[in-house]
Amino acid sequence: MSETPDVAIGAIAARSELRPRVGVVLGSGLGPFADAVAEPVEIPYGDIPGWPASTAVGHAGTLVLGRFGDVPVAVMKGRAHLYEGLSPADVVFGVRVLGGLGVRSLVLTNACGAIDTSVEPGTLVAISDHLNLQGSSPLVGPNDETVGPRFPDMTNAYDAGYRAIALQAAARLGLELGEGVYAAWLGPAFETPAEIRMMRALGADLVGMSTVPEVLAARHMGIRCLALSCVTNAAAGVRPEPIDHERVLEVGARAAGDLVALLREVVPLLD
Ligand code: HPA
């Protein structure tokens, strides 16, 4: 049985007096955003009781508490995924800890494949809704009513107001920012072309292996969410060539500058 987030919350509160209002979950290659946090207190995940170790390539494991402009923030450098073999509760452990520390707004970033054939690799997309195709939810099991309701509403899971802020910020920066529906896949294998056709028929524009468990846990706690995806590749079968993880990381690294610039513009506006 894993530890509850309470012990972790206490351990973090003992290392920093900062009470974060905005949380940021950084996907791979987006560490430079955390470098811009002022007066940072950096806590390796391994020092936090109960925090699951991430094994994904390109994912560091550090929680950074500090200020971004006037806003107290908690930045997760690296996240856990279901495909690592962790339980759904472990995958959202960090988000529950951030919620317990006082975070009311959460920005999630990820890399994804484009199911929509008109979306080019390197493009940024704000997620407008999701399809949970992972076959699990972190909310399964006994419900703690002090954390959130048994049957949380997911109508506005991806906050429309936050999305408008992100779209305006992108326009100010001269960055293209699309909007789309994200399908969450368990992985770790990339999808088959038939699975991608299924997702397209179901209404998905993007596909990835993260974010949805975290959004479910955050919404359960009443936290408002903004999710920004970096499209690293055309989804399986969209183009003739196979999907190569090295190439996914390469395109992600090239688009990381744009995503970090967008985060810097948006995070101070989310309170
Ligand atoms: N599928 C799933 N996850 C991904 C992809 C993809 O094509 N690209 C980056 N993450």
Side-chain angles (χ1 to χ4, degrees), residues 171-192:
R172 281 198 298 280
L173 293 169
L175 290 176
E176 191 194 333
L177 180 66
E179 287 185 83
V181 174
Y182 176 94
W185 196 242
L186 178 61
F190 287 118
E191 307 71 31
T192 63

Side-chain angles (χ1 to χ4, degrees), residues 111-114 185 190-191 196 207-209 230 232-236 243 248:
C112 70
W185 196 242
F190 287 118
E191 307 71 31
I196 293 300
V207 59
M209 302 173 193
C230 169
T232 52
N233 57 280
I243 301 170
V248 164

Side-chain angles (χ1 to χ4, degrees), residues 5-207:
D6 298 359
V7 180
I9 293 162
I12 295 163
R15 297 225 352 210
S16 168
E17 289 189 346
L18 188 113
R19 295 296 163 258
R21 301 292 299 167
V22 178
V24 183
V25 179
L26 296 178
S28 46
L30 299 175
F33 174 78
D35 299 340
V37 170
E39 302 159 48
V41 172
E42 301 202 23
I43 312 176
Y45 292 160
D47 288 0
I48 305 173
W51 200 295
S54 174
T55 59
V57 176
H59 286 257
T62 320
L63 179 67
V64 182
L65 297 171
R67 288 189 178 276
F68 197 85
D70 292 336
V71 186
V73 296
V75 182
M76 283 173 55
K77 265 170 96 172
R79 61 142 63 82
H81 305 82
L82 283 170
Y83 64 70
E84 295 175 68
L86 299 163
S87 70
D90 274 346
V91 168
V92 302
F93 187 87
V95 166
R96 287 184 167 147
V97 168
L98 296 196
L101 286 169
V103 160
R104 304 310 303 147
S105 314
L106 185 65
V107 185
L108 300 123
T109 58
N110 64 42
C112 70
I115 297 172
D116 179 337
T117 53
S118 69
V119 179
E120 292 294 325
T123 311
L124 303 181
V125 183
I127 297 177
S128 56
D129 205 344
H130 76 222
L131 293 172
N132 183 3
L133 304 178
Q134 294 188 312
S136 74
S137 164
L139 307 184
V140 168
N143 186 56
D144 182 347
E145 289 289 330
T146 64
V147 174
R150 172 75 288 188
F151 301 109
D153 176 55
M154 290 292 148
T155 309
N156 199 21
Y158 300 83
D159 195 276
Y162 282 1
R163 229 160 50 242
I165 288 171
L167 289 166
Q168 286 159 13
R172 281 198 298 280
L173 293 169
L175 290 176
E176 191 194 333
L177 180 66
E179 287 185 83
V181 174
Y182 176 94
W185 196 242
L186 178 61
F190 287 118
E191 307 71 31
T192 63
E195 286 160 350
I196 293 300
R197 289 195 297 276
M198 172 190 78
M199 291 179 204
R200 182 179 296 122
L202 295 176
D205 305 302
L206 311 168
V207 59

